[in-house]
Structure formats: C-alpha cells, structure tokens
C-alpha cells in the first residue's frame, strides 16, 4: 500500500481525513471560493479568490496585471484551502464547542492556460458556477477581454479532505448538566436578486428566479 505523504496527513484527528476523489470533488464543486497561499522571498501571502473545478483540475482567473497571478504562474508551490461550514456545534462546555465542516487542502503548482479556447471555456465554467446558467444570457466575452485575463489551472492530485459532522462530544462528567447542547445549522443562502438602476424595468431572467416570491 502506498504511504500517504506527511503533508497530506493531519497532525490531529487524522481519522477525519480522506483522499477519496469523489469526496474531494463534491466539496470543491459546492464551494465558491478558495484561499491560495504561497511565499516569495520569505514573505508569505494568502489570497482569497473564486474558483471552479472541471475534471481533475481547478481554475482561477484575474487581470494579466495581477501581481498575485504573475507570481504563482511561475510555478512556485502553493497551498490551496477550501472550507464549507455546515453548523456550529454547541456543547455543555466551551472547551467542547466545535464546528461541523467540510474542507479540502491542495498542494499544487499553477499551469498557465495559453490555449485561447481553453481559457474562454474556463471563464464559462467559472461564470456558470458563480451564477448558474448565466453565461449564455450575458453579452459574449470579447477576444480582447479574454486576452486581458489570465487563467491558471491547478491539479489536485495532492489533496486531502477533512470533515466533521454530528452532535457535540461532551466530557462524560458533563452529560448530565442542565445545559443545552446541540447544533446550530448555518447553511449558505442566496437571497432574491436586487436590480441596479439600469435594470429596474428589465424582467428578471429565469436563471435568477430563485428564492423569489410569486
């Protein structure tokens, strides 16, 4: 059996970790944002950004003038983290409080997308993830806009998911205390869209008609 590299093995509660591909993908597909960490000349940086998974890579994009992208496109090592918080775990003792979560940590290097059509496709994948089914509704992206934008891909071959679920794990001596314990769900929620002044008289398109009262 192949041994898991040390950097993919959590130092605490390793039993909550898995490298299962389907679990990693399910978390990456639900999360809208990740944080990319890297170091340049001993100075650490940690940048949050939107991302999308397509097949066995994740993609990000930004301005060709972005210092962040220009640094990591050189192929320096990066650590990418994603977390979905599902509920607050409220125990009978503050020491036993926790969070039910699903997370992924990826160790990778950026691959700059040079092929024009692949780059355009990556923008479509990301746009439709952030606002589902919106790409075909929008004004088409021009060739000039594609050229002004950098797209980077990252393999997630070296990745590990870690999760927690369930109720509090109180100390045995606390179980009979008359103190409420349980979980508080904190699901993400998209509210009804709010039009800007140029769109007040434009019907809300079908792909944005979620959470709207009839």
């Amino acid at each position: 059996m192949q041994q898991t590299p040390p950097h993919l093995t959590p130092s605490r509660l390793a039993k909550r970790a898995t490298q299962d591909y389907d679990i990693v993908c399910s978390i990456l597909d639900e999360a809208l944002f990740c944080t990319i960490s890297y170091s340049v000349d001993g100075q650490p940086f940690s940048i949050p950004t939107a991302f999308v998974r397509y097949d066995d890579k994740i993609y990000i994009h930004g301005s060709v003038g972005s210092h962040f992208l220009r640094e990591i496109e050189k192929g320096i090592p990066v650590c990418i983290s994603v977390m979905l918080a599902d509920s607050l775990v409220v125990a009978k003792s503050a020491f036993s409080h926790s969070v039910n979560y699903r997370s992924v940590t990826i160790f990778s290097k950026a691959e700059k997308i040079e092929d024009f059509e692949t780059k355009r496709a990556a923008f479509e994948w990301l746009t439709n993830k952030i606002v589902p089914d919106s790409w075909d509704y929008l004004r088409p992206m021009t060739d000039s806009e594609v050229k002004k934008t950098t797209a980077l891909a990252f393999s997630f071959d070296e990745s590990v998911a870690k999760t927690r679920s369930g109720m509090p794990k109180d100390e045995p001596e606390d179980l009979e205390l008359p103190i409420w314990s349980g979980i508080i769900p904190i699901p993400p929620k998209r509210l009804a869209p709010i039009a800007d002044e140029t769109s007040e008289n434009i019907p809300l398109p079908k792909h944005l008609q979620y959470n709207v009262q009839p």
Side-chain angles (χ1 to χ4, degrees):
M1 177 182 293
Q2 186 176 5
Q3 188 173 8
T4 302
H7 61 285
L8 295 179
T9 303
S11 60
R12 187 171 183 274
L13 296 174
K15 64 182 180 181
R16 292 182 181 172
T18 178
Q19 291 180 270
D20 182 276
Y21 179 82
D22 290 336
I23 293 176
V24 169
C25 287
S26 70
I27 297 170
L28 295 178
D29 290 348
E30 185 173 341
L32 297 179
F33 308 103
C34 67
T35 299
I36 301 181
S37 302
Y38 62 102
S39 177
V40 177
D41 298 328
Q43 174 63 53
F45 296 88
S46 191
I47 309 296
T49 186
F51 77 98
V52 64
R53 178 191 72 88
Y54 189 83
D55 289 338
D56 58 355
K57 293 182 180 179
I58 66 171
Y59 296 81
I60 67 169
H61 81 278
S63 168
V64 294
S66 165
H67 177 267
F68 156 55
L69 295 180
R70 289 166 66 180
E71 285 294 340
I72 65 174
E73 73 178 24
K74 299 174 184 177
I76 62 176
V78 300
C79 179
I80 304 171
S81 60
V82 170
M83 176 180 171
L84 297 169
D86 296 318
S87 56
L88 306 177
V89 180
V90 181
K92 297 181 185 299
S93 162
F95 180 79
S96 297
H97 277 16
S98 189
V99 176
N100 284 336
Y101 67 92
R102 291 164 288 149
S103 68
V104 172
T105 301
I106 300 169
F107 296 90
S108 191
K109 294 180 181 180
E111 170 194 343
K112 188 174 182 179
I113 305 302
E114 302 285 5
D115 178 73
F116 188 86
E117 291 306 320
T118 303
K119 186 194 288 192
R120 186 193 295 273
F123 299 153
E124 179 178 354
W125 302 331
L126 181 56
T127 300
N128 279 336
K129 179 182 182 183
I130 300 300
V131 184
D133 301 320
S134 63
W135 180 264
D136 291 336
Y137 172 81
L138 301 171
R139 187 266 289 164
M141 196 171 184
T142 67
D143 290 355
S144 175
E145 289 171 333
V146 175
K147 292 175 181 177
K148 291 177 181 177
T149 310
T150 295
L152 301 179
F154 302 85
S155 165
F156 55 93
D157 290 342
E158 289 192 57
S159 62
V160 60
K162 191 177 182 186
T163 64
R164 187 205 190 277
S165 61
M167 289 294 178
K169 301 186 185 308
D170 278 299
E171 298 298 326
E173 61 270 22
D174 292 339
L175 294 177
E176 300 304 319
L177 292 175
I179 298 173
W180 188 93
S181 55
I183 62 172
I184 303 173
I186 50 172
K189 184 178 182 180
R190 295 194 182 207
L191 303 179
I194 301 172
D196 69 12
E197 61 182 12
T198 71
S199 301
E200 291 175 348
N201 296 318
I202 299 175
L204 194 66
K206 185 176 181 180
H207 69 275
L208 293 179
Q209 293 178 13
Y210 49 80
N211 233 1
V212 177
Q213 298 298 321

